[in-house]
């Protein structure tokens, strides 16, 4: 289950950013995950929930996780067509070419983090 390793890295980055901002709570984490990473959305959610129960990730205890799965998209080097496809069928639908470049679908990024920063009193 490489999703636990992925989410550990995400959580480490989220906690660091939240602390740097002076936040006392993380409210929402939004991710983009490419289907070509072979990460499973449900497993990512499970890992997020499990990790947020750990003391070191307590700032994320009640945070909402938003995951946007990004479909694979390629560009054909022979005819220039750009097209979406599944993980296994990458041939160009326009010319049948096999010289293609994956231009989307490998993403694994934190799009945004919403935090609660206490008011100065």
């Amino acid at each position: 289950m490489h999703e636990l390793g992925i989410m550990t890295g995400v959580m480490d980055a989220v906690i660091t950013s939240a602390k740097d901002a002076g936040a006392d709570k993380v409210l929402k984490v939004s991710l983009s995950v490419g289907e070509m990473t072979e990460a499973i959305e449900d497993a990512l959610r499970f890992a997020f929930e499990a990790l947020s129960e750990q003391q070191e990730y307590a700032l994320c205890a009640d945070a909402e996780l938003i995951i946007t799965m990004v479909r694979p998209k390629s560009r054909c080097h022979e005819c220039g067509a750009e097209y979406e496809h599944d993980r296994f069928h990458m041939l160009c639908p326009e010319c049948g070419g096999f010289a293609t470049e994956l231009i989307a679908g490998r993403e694994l990024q934190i799009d945004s983090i919403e935090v609660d920063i206490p008011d100065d009193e």
Side-chain angles (χ1 to χ4, degrees), residues 61-99:
D62 297 315
E64 177 184 6
L65 178 63
I66 306 294
I67 299 175
T68 301
M69 297 302 291
V70 180
R71 289 190 40 85
K73 184 175 183 180
S74 289
R75 178 182 303 117
C76 179
H77 288 291
E78 295 179 29
C79 73
E82 291 185 4
Y83 55 95
E84 286 188 352
H85 53 84
D86 63 19
R87 294 185 343 192
F88 306 106
H89 302 96
M90 296 176 62
L91 291 178
C92 177
E94 298 295 322
C95 71
F98 60 89

Side-chain angles (χ1 to χ4, degrees), residues 14-40:
V14 167
I15 293 297
T16 298
S17 295
K19 286 180 178 178
D20 289 349
D24 62 0
K25 186 175 188 176
V26 176
L27 303 173
K28 186 188 300 185
V29 178
S30 298
L31 306 176
S32 287
V33 180
E35 291 180 8
M36 297 298 274
T37 65
E38 298 187 12
I40 299 168

